[in-house]
Each structure stands twice: as structure tokens, then as C-alpha cells.
């Protein structure tokens, strides 16, 4: 039995003001466990697209189908539940909760999704153990480091904690919005390698947004947003 | 299965902001303390006053306000304006409907404690707290002219024992210059603790009061007319006047009739009051103050809760990122809502708990003073219905108030999506 594609957009229109579409995509398909790099200049709607894929934004027209589920058919809280279960997010800002320990930050998605909790437990026997394993894979295995408040970690370390949090419980889709823009070139390459290796093992699809084209070779496919998003062209034509 | 994460997160988040959180908890605690404390003092004062006298049908004294008569005769608060002549007392005490009387003669003191002249009827007929009678902890009842029986508090505070001699001062107040030095009294007995003004009273016989004033006139010793303690006992020590007397009737039915008769007594202007009625007057009088105090306390609680609301609302903006992070890892908007409501609830619950602790500590601290100064015995009772209502009410109000920031955070969470604008 073949797995459904990770993402299918068809006829999607979205504008923060409905009269001004930011995203207009007739067809976009990302295969099961495919790793895709999306590039485009600033302000062209990359983050908006990720919001649509994550079910945070609802398109004014068209359908967003994630892992075979039409998000439009779900209620708001249904979409929230779906996202909690199947989608891991990494942001440009590291976005860790300052009042939780490193391990608790990583374990957070498992507190909101029973499925991810079970997968984490199945992986390492327990959620904290799975969190520690992921952190180890990302090069954070110093026990002294893990005990420190997250606010005392370096930027690269925080970014890896955020990645481990997106990966825990093996979500089927990992969405990363410019997660490397605050890292230097070396750290950037090794971070991407680790992230992608872990996603390969978990069989997760990856949607990775950046305007740093040097990262593109790490991925299965590169999409220039301008090629699929007709919004800008439409606007110019109008 | 994941356990409910919201409560734990609320706790951790509050702990992260513990300085402000602590201030909020403290302000709620203080307001709750006030609300609980005022009510405690109120009920304790009422119970204490109501328990001071029972079984007495009428209190009789020189014509004055009912309340004043009750206060000076039973509570040793304030002073009599006038006396009752011995003839009138004997006359009224001899009436058919009267079962017993307790004469009371006030006006002297010993180191701040009031001295009361009375008769053996006092031990026999005085009742308090329902049907409890006065009992001796040690020694014997006073009998002789220069014998005295101390209240429990007097003996304890001044460290007096049976057999000791004490000197009575003329007039009231701690620093009385005129003392009846030549006529010391011997302590024959010490009463058991009653939790009433009796504990703070020094009892002597009416003859004793008469004896120490034998060579006095109009509040000063008569010059050159010293009468020694031995000589005075040879005299007729029947008093000429007393301050007031308590009356027990054979049948309560006669109360109002006798009261009217006394109020219209032709020989001298007298007042007779029913203790319960006079107490009720007292409650009516202080009721307004009580309500005002409770209203003020209520406002203070409201202020505390509004402070909490303000603190949470101001924190919302800087916590937009926190909310968005929570949503990105799968928290539903209602969970973000729940986070803030439970935060308000936690703050209030902690405030209430601290408020209860403060209240009991304050009562412990205030109890000796309240008993000393007002004769109000403050007992440390476990929390009752009122306390439960206050606790529940404050937490409930906090939860309701918490819905305002929660609703705003919920709206923010939906509008912000996953992109965080700070
Ligand atoms: N919350 C919002 N409300 C209104 N307009 C928005 C909002 N978020 C984005 N926009 C607008 O939508 C357009 C696309 O924004 P988006 O954030 O998707 O761009 P982006 O490609 O991610 O840019 P960058 O590379 O700078 O992150 C921009 O014109 C932006 O002004
Ligand atoms: Mg962006």
C-alpha cells in the first residue's frame, strides 16, 4: 500500500486582505518523505505558505491536503489536533520556553499529542529518553548542558533543541521556516545534515524555507516559490 | 498517555515570573486576611460578649442608658454615673418575684484591674456561657472583711498566690496615687478561668469596700481621722450604697412587670435592663461599623484581584511568543485559554492559602491583646462555612477575571498564527 503524499495544494488562494492574494498556487505536490527546499525573496509569501500547510491559516479558495487529510474538512480544533499529531515546526527564532528545562522543551509536543507520546515511548522507552536520544543525535549529549536553563545555551545549541522538539514523536511532516539564519555557515551545514538524517530515519517529509540557496543541494528538490506562486504575477498583471 | 500539560505549564510559567507572581499572591493574601480577620473578630467578640452573662434576668443601676449600665456592671467598661442606695437595693431584693440578687460595688482598682465588692450570692448565682458557674481553682471563697478572691487572669498576670496580701488603690487606672495602704487584703482564693471579665476582676466583700472608705470622704482621706484596720472591723460595715445589682427572678414571666416597677421606682431614679436586650442594642450599634468594615474588606479583596488582573494583562504582550510556541507544538486555543485561567486560579488559590495562614498568625498575635484590652476571648477555631465561602468566592472571582486575559490571549493566538510579532 502506497503512502499518501505529504502535501497536496490545489487551487489555493490566500491573502491577508482577501483582495490582495499573497499565495496563489494552482498545484503543488510534495511526496511522502520527500525533502523539499523552498526559496524566494523576502515578502513573497514563504511563511504564509507554511502557515497554510500547517493548517494555521485557512485558504480563501482551494484545498490543502496533508497526508491524505483535507484540512478544509476539519474544524479549527480538528486542525489543531491534526497539526499537534503530524507536524513538527522549527522557526527562525528558536522559540524555546524559558521556564522549561531542555528535556522538557523537547518533550513538549508529546504533552499535546497522544500519538507522538506513544511513538516517543516506542522509540526509546520513555519521552525524556527519546528527547535525550534526539539531542544526542544533534550533538547535544553533555549531561551538564542539558541541566542548564535553555536561556543559557548558545544560539546554535538552542536551534538544535528546537529541532529535536520538532522531531520528537516522529511527525510525518517537518516544517522549518528559515531555521538557520542565525547560524554561521559551518554550523548551518552540519545542522541541516543532522536534521535531514533524522528525518530520513523517521521517514518524515521536510518542507524547508530559506533564501540561502547554498543549502539547496542537501535536499531532494528545490522549489523557487515564484515558479509556483502566481500571486505576484497576477498582481502585476492586474 | 500525556498528562494534562496545562496546569504544569501554568505553574512553571508562574515560577519563571515568581517575583511579580509573589507580589500578586501577597496582595491577595493581605486582602483575604482582612476579610477573614474582620469576620473572625466580629464573631469572636459577639460570642465572647454573649457568653459573659447568663441566667440574670435584670441588671439594675442608677438611671442611665441601658447599654452603659450593661457595660459597666458586667463588662467593666466605663463607669457608673451614680449609685443605688442600700435601702432601695434591700427593698427591691425583698420583692416576692425576686429569687436572688447579686450586689455589685465598683470604683476601686489594683494595678489596672478593677475591684468589685459583692456578696456570697455571686459565687452561688452568677452564670456564664450557658449554665456554667464560677468555681475556685484554689483556696476558698472570701469571707472576712479584708479577704479577696482573684480572677484567673489577675492571679496569672500578677503572679499572685493564695495567702498573699495586696493593697487596693482608690479609683481606676494603673497609676493611682491614693492607695488604701493601711488596709491590705489577703488572697483567700483564685477563680478558675472563665474567658469573661470575671477573670480580670478582684473580688472583695461589700464590707471590705465599706471598710477601706471608712476614713474617706468624697474620694480623699479625711485628714486626722485615721481608722485602723482593727478598729474598722468593730464598726457597722453595712454599705450605704452599691453601684448596681443583678436580679434573678423566680419566674421569667415577671421580668417586664418588675422592670417597669424599677424604672418607675419612686424613691430614686433607677434603670433596669434585660441583658439580652441591652446586648442587642450593642449589636445594633456596632452592626453598622461591622458592615462598613466588611464592605471595606470586600473592596480590598476586589482591589487585590484587580491588581492580579492588571499583572496578567500586562504580561500578555510579552508572552505572545510563549503562546505562539505553545500553539506550534500543538496546544489548542482553548488550552492557551485554560493556561491563563488556571494561572489566575493558581495565584488566587495561593493568595487564599497564604491569607488563611496570615489570619491564624494574626489571631495568635492579637488574642492576648484582645483579651487584655477588651475581654474578648479569641479562640482558634478551624475554618468554617464563612471561610470556605470567602476562599471559594475569591478563587471563583479570580477564575472569572482570568477569562478576560485568557480570551485576549486566545484571540491573539488565533490571529498571530505561528508567526510571532513582538
Ligand atoms: N499577520 C499578517 N498580517 C498581515 N499581512 C501579513 C501578515 N503576515 C505577512 N503578511 C504579509 O504577507 C506577505 C508575505 O509575508 P510572508 O511572511 O509570508 O513573507 P516571507 O516570504 O516569509 O518573507 P521573509 O522571507 O521576509 O520571511 C507580506 O507582504 C507581508 O507583509
Ligand atoms: Mg518568512
Amino acid at each position: 500500500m502506497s503512502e499518501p503524499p505529504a502535501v497536496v495544494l490545489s487551487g489555493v488562494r490566500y491573502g491577508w486582505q482577501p483582495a490582495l492574494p499573497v499565495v496563489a498556487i494552482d498545484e503543488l505536490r510534495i511526496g511522502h518523505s520527500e525533502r523539499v527546499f523552498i526559496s524566494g525573496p523576502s515578502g513573497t509569501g514563504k511563511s504564509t505558505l507554511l502557515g497554510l500547510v500547517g493548517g494555521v491559516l485557512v485558504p480563501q479558495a482551494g484545498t490543502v491536503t496533508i497526508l491524505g487529510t483535507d484540512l478544509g474538512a476539519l474544524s479549527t480544533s480538528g486542525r489543531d489536533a491534526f497539526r499537534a499529531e503530524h507536524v513538527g515546526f522549527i522557526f527562525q527564532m528558536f522559540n524555546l520556553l524559558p521556564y522549561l528545562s531542555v528535556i522538557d522543551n523537547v518533550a513538549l509536543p508529546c504533552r499535546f499529542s497522544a500519538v507522538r507520546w506513544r511513538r516517543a515511548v516506542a522509540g526509546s522507552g520513555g519521552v525524556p529518553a527519546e528527547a535525550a536520544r534526539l539531542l544526542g543525535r544533534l550533538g547535544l549529549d553533555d549531561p551538564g548542558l542539558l541541566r542548564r536553563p535553555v536561556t543559557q545555551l548558545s544560539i546554535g545549541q538552542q536551534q538544535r533543541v528546537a529541532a529535536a522538539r520538532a522531531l520528537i514523536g516522529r511527525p510525518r511532516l517537518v516544517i522549518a521556516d528559515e531555521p538557520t539564519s542565525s547560524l554561521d555557515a559551518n554550523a548551518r551545514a552540519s545542522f541541516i545534515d543532522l536534521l535531514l538524517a533524522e528525518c530520513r530515519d523517521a521517514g518524515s517529509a521536510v518542507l524547508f524555507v530559506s533564501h540561502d540557496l547554498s543549502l539547496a543541494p542537501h535536499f531532494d528538490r528545490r522549489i523557487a516559490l515564484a515558479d509556483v506562486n502566481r500571486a505576484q504575477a497576477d498582481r502585476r498583471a492586474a | 498517555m500525556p498528562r494534562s500539560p496545562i496546569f504544569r505549564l501554568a505553574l512553571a510559567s508562574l515560577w519563571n515570573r515568581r517575583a511579580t507572581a509573589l507580589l500578586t499572591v501577597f496582595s491577595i493574601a493581605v486582602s483575604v486576611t482582612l476579610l477573614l480577620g474582620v469576620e473572625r473578630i466580629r464573631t469572636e467578640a459577639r460570642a465572647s460578649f454573649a457568653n459573659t452573662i447568663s441566667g440574670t434576668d435584670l441588671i439594675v443601676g442608677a438611671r442611665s442608658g441601658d447599654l452603659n449600665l450593661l457595660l459597666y456592671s458586667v463588662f467593666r467598661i466605663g463607669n457608673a454615673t451614680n449609685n443605688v442606695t442600700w435601702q432601695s437595693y434591700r427593698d427591691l431584693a425583698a420583692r416576692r418575684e425576686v429569687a436572688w440578687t447579686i450586689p455589685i460595688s465598683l470604683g476601686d482598682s489594683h494595678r489596672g484591674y478593677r475591684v468589685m465588692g459583692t456578696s456570697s450570692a455571686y459565687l452561688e448565682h452568677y452564670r456564664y456561657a450557658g449554665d456554667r458557674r464560677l468555681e475556685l481553682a484554689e483556696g476558698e471563697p472570701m469571707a472576712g472583711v479584708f479577704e479577696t478572691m482573684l480572677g484567673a487572669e489577675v492571679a496569672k498576670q500578677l503572679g499572685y498566690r493564695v495567702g498573699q496580701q495586696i493593697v487596693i488603690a482608690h479609683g481606676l487606672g494603673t497609676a493611682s496615687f491614693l492607695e488604701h495602704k493601711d488596709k491590705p487584703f489577703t488572697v483567700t482564693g483564685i477563680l478558675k478561668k472563665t474567658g469573661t471579665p470575671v477573670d480580670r476582676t478582684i473580688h472583695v466583700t461589700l464590707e471590705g469596700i465599706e471598710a477601706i472608705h471608712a476614713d474617706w470622704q468624697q474620694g480623699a482621706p479625711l485628714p486626722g481621722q485615721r481608722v485602723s484596720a482593727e478598729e474598722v472591723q468593730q464598726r457597722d460595715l453595712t454599705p450605704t450604697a452599691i453601684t448596681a445589682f443583678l436580679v434573678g427572678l423566680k419566674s421569667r414571666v415577671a421580668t417586664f412587670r418588675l422592670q417597669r416597677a424599677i424604672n418607675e421606682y419612686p424613691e430614686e431614679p433607677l434603670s433596669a435592663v434585660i441583658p439580652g436586650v441591652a446586648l442587642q442594642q450593642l449589636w445594633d450599634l456596632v452592626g453598622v461599623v461591622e458592615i462598613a468594615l466588611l464592605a471595606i474588606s470586600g473592596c480590598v479583596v476586589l482591589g487585590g484581584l484587580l491588581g492580579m488582573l492588571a499583572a496578567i494583562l500586562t504580561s500578555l504582550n510579552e508572552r505572545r511568543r510563549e503562546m505562539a510556541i505553545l500553539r506550534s507544538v500543538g496546544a489548542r486555543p482553548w488550552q492557551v485559554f485554560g493556561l491563563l485561567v488556571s494561572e489566575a486560579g493558581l495565584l488566587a488559590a495561593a493568595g487564599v492559602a497564604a491569607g488563611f495562614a496570615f489570619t491564624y498568625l494574626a489571631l495568635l498575635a492579637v488574642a492576648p491583646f484582645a483579651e487584655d484590652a477588651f475581654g474578648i476571648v479569641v479562640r482558634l477555631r478551624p475554618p468554617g462555612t464563612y471561610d470556605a465561602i470567602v476562599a471559594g468566592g475569591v478563587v471563583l472571582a479570580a477564575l472569572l477575571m482570568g477569562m478576560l486575559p485568557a480570551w485576549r490571549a486566545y484571540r491573539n493566538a488565533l490571529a498571530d498564527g505561528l508567526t510571532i510579532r513582538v
Side-chain angles (χ1 to χ4, degrees):
Chain A
M1 201 199 117
S2 75
E3 302 258 2
V7 178
V8 179
L9 303 187
S10 62
V12 169
R13 295 285 178 281
Y14 182 85
W16 291 95
Q17 290 108 25
L20 283 176
V22 170
V23 173
I25 296 176
D26 292 331
E27 185 73 24
L28 176 66
R29 176 180 279 260
I30 292 164
H32 167 71
S33 73
E34 190 181 9
R35 297 186 295 280
V36 175
F37 181 85
I38 296 179
S39 64
S42 177
T44 51
K46 301 185 297 296
S47 297
T48 307
L49 170 65
L50 295 186
L52 289 164
V53 171
V56 181
L57 304 175
V58 181
Q60 277 112 16
T63 55
V64 178
T65 308
I66 306 296
L67 303 164
T69 301
D70 177 5
L71 293 187
L74 299 176
S75 66
T76 308
S77 66
R79 275 196 299 278
D80 282 329
F82 184 86
R83 170 172 359 102
E85 226 154 270
H86 299 293
V87 184
F89 274 101
I90 316 173
F91 299 100
Q92 174 175 0
M93 309 291 285
F94 339 104
N95 289 342
L96 301 177
L97 290 180
Y99 50 81
L100 293 183
S101 69
V102 171
I103 294 284
D104 280 345
N105 259 293
V106 175
L108 207 51
C110 297
R111 301 201 166 277
F112 293 98
S113 162
V115 170
R116 286 174 77 173
W117 176 283
R118 277 198 296 274
R119 287 203 205 114
V121 171
S124 296
V127 171
E130 175 69 1
R133 183 191 72 79
L134 281 167
L135 288 165
R137 281 291 303 266
L138 294 168
L140 294 177
D141 45 13
D142 176 5
L145 198 90
L146 300 190
R147 271 197 303 275
R148 265 198 263 150
V150 285
T151 46
Q152 285 180 16
L153 300 183
S154 79
I155 287 171
Q157 287 166 338
Q158 291 191 36
Q159 195 59 286
R160 280 178 281 170
V161 174
R165 185 178 65 191
L167 294 171
I168 198 166
R170 302 179 171 231
R172 290 275 158 272
L173 176 62
V174 173
I175 292 178
D177 193 351
E178 307 190 41
T180 54
S181 50
S182 43
L183 303 180
D184 64 58
N186 268 339
R188 206 173 293 169
S190 68
F191 172 80
I192 299 236
D193 281 339
L194 290 167
L195 177 71
L196 291 180
E198 190 56 36
C199 287
R200 186 183 305 116
D201 291 355
S204 312
V206 179
L207 208 54
F208 190 102
V209 159
S210 176
H211 27 221
D212 179 2
L213 291 177
S214 70
L215 298 174
H218 295 270
F219 292 81
D220 298 340
R221 178 154 64 115
R222 179 200 151 191
I223 299 173
L225 189 57
D227 294 347
V228 291
N229 187 5
R230 286 188 6 240
Q232 306 265 330
D234 285 359
R235 225 183 288 177
R236 268 194 300 276
Chain B
M1 271 301 289
R3 286 152 293 157
S4 159
I6 288 306
F7 196 69
R8 258 198 49 164
L9 285 175
L11 264 180
S13 179
L14 276 178
W15 181 245
N16 189 47
R17 289 170 285 126
R18 53 189 169 276
T20 17
L22 216 67
L23 267 179
T24 305
V25 166
F26 190 74
S27 76
I28 294 177
V30 168
S31 65
V32 167
T33 304
L34 197 63
L35 200 56
L36 294 179
V38 164
E39 177 63 14
R40 265 312 157 95
I41 296 287
R42 191 180 81 92
T43 47
E44 290 303 306
R46 287 206 169 192
S48 193
F49 270 64
N51 275 339
T52 296
I53 185 165
S54 51
T56 294
D57 295 305
L58 286 172
I59 303 171
V60 183
R63 169 108 1 123
S64 75
D66 293 2
L67 204 47
N68 187 38
L69 177 51
L70 174 80
L71 288 178
Y72 74 68
S73 65
V74 178
F75 295 103
R76 321 267 185 275
I77 297 173
N79 294 306
T81 45
N82 231 321
N83 285 336
V84 180
T85 61
W86 185 251
Q87 287 89 331
S88 303
Y89 166 56
R90 289 317 313 161
D91 179 31
L92 289 165
R95 286 179 71 118
R96 255 183 308 110
E97 56 268 57
V98 172
W100 52 261
T101 58
I102 299 173
I104 293 173
S105 188
L106 297 161
D108 285 346
S109 67
H110 173 76
R111 297 179 62 180
Y113 293 102
R114 297 204 180 190
V115 173
M116 180 179 111
T118 184
S119 71
S120 59
Y122 185 61
L123 274 186
E124 201 178 324
H125 295 297
Y126 190 83
R127 296 287 185 278
Y128 69 97
D131 198 33
R132 299 176 60 182
R133 53 193 302 167
L134 300 176
E135 282 175 70
L136 281 156
E138 50 179 309
E140 289 173 18
M142 67 212 177
V145 173
F146 292 115
E147 288 183 357
T148 173
M149 194 167 72
L150 306 180
E153 185 70 19
V154 180
K156 194 175 149 218
Q157 287 299 319
L158 302 180
Y160 289 163
R161 310 234 128 267
V162 170
Q164 191 152 357
Q165 294 213 319
I166 64 172
V167 169
I168 286 168
H170 192 78
L172 308 170
T174 332
S176 187
F177 296 112
L178 301 168
E179 293 191 310
H180 303 283
K181 274 209 189 76
D182 54 335
K183 302 186 183 69
F185 283 71
T186 308
V187 178
T188 62
I190 294 167
L191 290 167
K192 281 189 183 160
K193 192 167 170 60
T194 62
T196 73
V198 170
D199 295 349
R200 289 173 294 122
T201 304
I202 293 167
H203 308 87
V204 298
T205 58
L206 289 175
E207 291 76 20
I209 295 282
E210 194 62 21
I212 52 179
H213 296 107
D215 44 9
W216 285 46
Q217 209 158 53
Q218 270 143 21
L222 287 170
Q225 289 203 22
R226 297 252 132 217
V227 183
S228 75
E230 291 71 34
E231 284 165 1
V232 85
Q233 293 194 56
Q234 311 306 314
R235 295 195 181 180
D236 174 17
L237 289 174
T238 307
T240 53
I242 58 174
T243 313
F245 59 98
L246 310 182
V247 179
L249 296 176
K250 285 176 186 147
S251 156
R252 289 224 149 157
V253 181
T255 308
F256 291 107
R257 189 162 17 101
L258 183 62
Q259 186 184 23
R260 192 168 336 110
I262 293 173
N263 285 337
E264 290 163 5
Y265 191 64
E267 311 302 322
E268 64 179 309
L270 295 178
S271 287
V273 303
I274 301 168
V277 173
L279 262 182
Q280 190 52 50
Q281 278 184 17
L282 182 64
W283 299 152
D284 290 348
L285 201 68
V286 297
V288 186
V289 180
E290 286 172 357
I291 288 171
L293 268 179
L294 277 180
I296 291 169
S297 315
C299 288
V300 173
V301 168
L302 191 68
L305 288 177
L306 284 175
M308 175 196 76
L309 184 61
I312 295 182
L313 275 175
T314 10
S315 77
L316 272 195
N317 244 346
E318 62 207 50
R319 292 173 66 202
R320 260 177 124 128
R321 171 182 296 274
E322 178 184 336
M323 303 301 155
I325 294 169
L326 286 173
R327 278 205 78 200
S328 78
V329 297
R332 325 285 189 267
W334 64 262
Q335 285 176 313
V336 169
F337 185 87
L339 181 76
L340 283 152
V341 170
S342 47
E343 196 168 285
L346 275 169
L347 285 171
V352 167
F356 271 84
F358 288 176
T359 306
Y360 279 100
L361 287 177
L363 286 179
L364 268 179
V366 155
F369 171 75
E371 183 163 359
D372 255 22
F374 307 110
I376 295 170
V377 181
V378 180
R379 295 156 300 158
L380 286 183
R381 287 176 295 107
T385 332
Y386 172 84
D387 310 76
I389 290 172
V390 167
V394 169
V395 173
L396 194 74
L399 289 176
L400 286 175
M401 283 184 165
M403 288 188 178
L404 179 63
W407 181 73
R408 285 191 51 175
Y410 177 95
R411 290 278 311 265
N412 286 349
L414 285 179
D416 287 356
L418 300 180
T419 45
I420 299 130
R421 279 152 238 287
V422 189

